[in-house]
C-alpha cells in the first residue's frame, strides 16, 4: 500500500529551507500531503499576517514537484483530524517542533527533521526591509 506523508507549515516568503523539508518529507513515502496554515491562524497565533496570502502560499506549495495534495490548515488543534482524513502514515515536522506532536504516535509515525541552518522567513523579512 502507498505510504502517505503529511506535513504542515506557513511557507511564507518561500525559501530553500521550506523546499528542503518538503523534499525530505516526500522521500519518506509515496505521496506527500501538505497543510498550509490559514491567514487567520497566523494572525491568531503569531499576531501578524503572512506576507503572502493563504491562496498565494497554497498555489506555490501545490506547484512543487514533490507535493501531491495541499489543503488549508485552519487550526493547530485539528492535527489529529487532518492526519486521519488524509490517511497519513507519517507526520513530518521540522525539529523546531521537536516532541510537540508525539501524542499522534498512536495513529502514525512522527518524524522531526533538522531545520536547514541560517535561513528563515523572519530573517529574510528583516534583511529585505533593512536593505537600502
Ligand atoms: N523549515 C526548515 N528550515 C528552515 C525554516 C523552516 O526546515 N530554515 C521548516 C520548518 O521546520 C517547518 C516548515 O519548514 O517544518 C515550514 O516552516 P514554517 O513556514 O515556519 O511553518 P510553521 O509556522 O512552523 O508551521 O502546524 C504547524 C503550522 O502550520 C505552523
Amino acid at each position: 500500500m502507498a505510504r502517505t506523508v503529511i506535513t504542515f507549515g506557513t511557507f511564507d516568503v518561500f525559501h530553500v529551507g521550506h523546499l528542503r523539508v518538503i523534499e525530505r518529507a516526500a522521500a519518506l513515502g509515496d505521496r506527500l500531503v501538505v497543510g498550509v496554515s490559514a491567514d487567520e491562524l497566523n494572525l491568531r497565533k503569531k499576531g501578524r499576517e503572512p506576507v503572502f496570502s493563504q491562496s498565494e502560499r497554497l498555489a506555490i506549495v501545490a506547484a512543487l514537484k514533490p507535493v501531491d495534495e495541499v489543503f488549508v490548515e485552519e487550526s493547530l488543534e485539528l492535527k489529529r483530524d487532518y492526519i486521519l482524513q488524509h490517511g497519513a502514515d507519517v507526520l513530518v515536522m521540522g525539529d523546531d517542533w521537536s516532541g510537540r506532536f508525539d501524542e499522534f504516535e498512536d495513529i502514525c509515525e512522527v518524524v522531526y527533521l533538522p531545520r536547514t541552518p541560517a535561513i528563515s522567513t523572519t530573517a529574510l523579512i528583516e534583511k529585505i526591509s533593512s536593505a537600502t
Side-chain angles (χ1 to χ4, degrees):
M1 253 240 330
R3 201 166 127 96
T4 299
V5 181
I6 194 166
T7 192
F8 296 86
T10 307
F11 303 108
D12 191 25
V13 189
F14 197 90
H15 59 66
V16 76
H18 295 143
L19 180 63
R20 295 287 177 252
V21 79
I22 283 174
E23 287 174 336
R24 286 177 292 158
L28 295 176
D30 307 298
R31 186 172 157 263
L32 178 64
V33 181
V34 183
V36 176
S37 62
D39 288 339
E40 228 290 299
L41 167 58
N42 279 275
L43 201 55
R44 228 178 326 125
K45 298 279 172 180
K46 299 184 182 172
R48 71 166 174 85
E49 275 187 8
V51 174
F52 293 130
S53 71
Q54 143 189 340
S55 57
E56 291 167 332
R57 292 182 288 109
L58 219 74
I60 290 166
V61 174
L64 300 171
K65 225 183 271 177
V67 175
D68 296 290
E69 195 182 332
V70 290
F71 68 95
V72 179
E73 178 189 28
E74 302 283 357
S75 162
L76 294 180
E77 284 72 42
L78 289 174
K79 280 229 166 40
R80 181 172 292 273
D81 299 317
Y82 294 135
I83 293 167
L84 293 171
Q85 271 167 29
H86 293 279
D89 302 289
V90 191
L91 166 65
V92 172
M93 295 297 294
D95 63 2
D96 43 327
W97 293 91
S98 211
R100 300 270 297 277
F101 300 114
D102 292 355
E103 64 187 284
F104 306 124
E105 277 169 349
D106 59 334
I107 52 168
C108 65
E109 198 181 312
V110 180
V111 177
Y112 304 99
L113 295 176
R115 278 170 70 92
T116 300
I119 187 156
S120 73
T121 297
T122 309
L124 280 171
I125 293 172
E126 279 166 15
K127 194 171 170 184
I128 294 163
S129 33
S130 67
T132 47

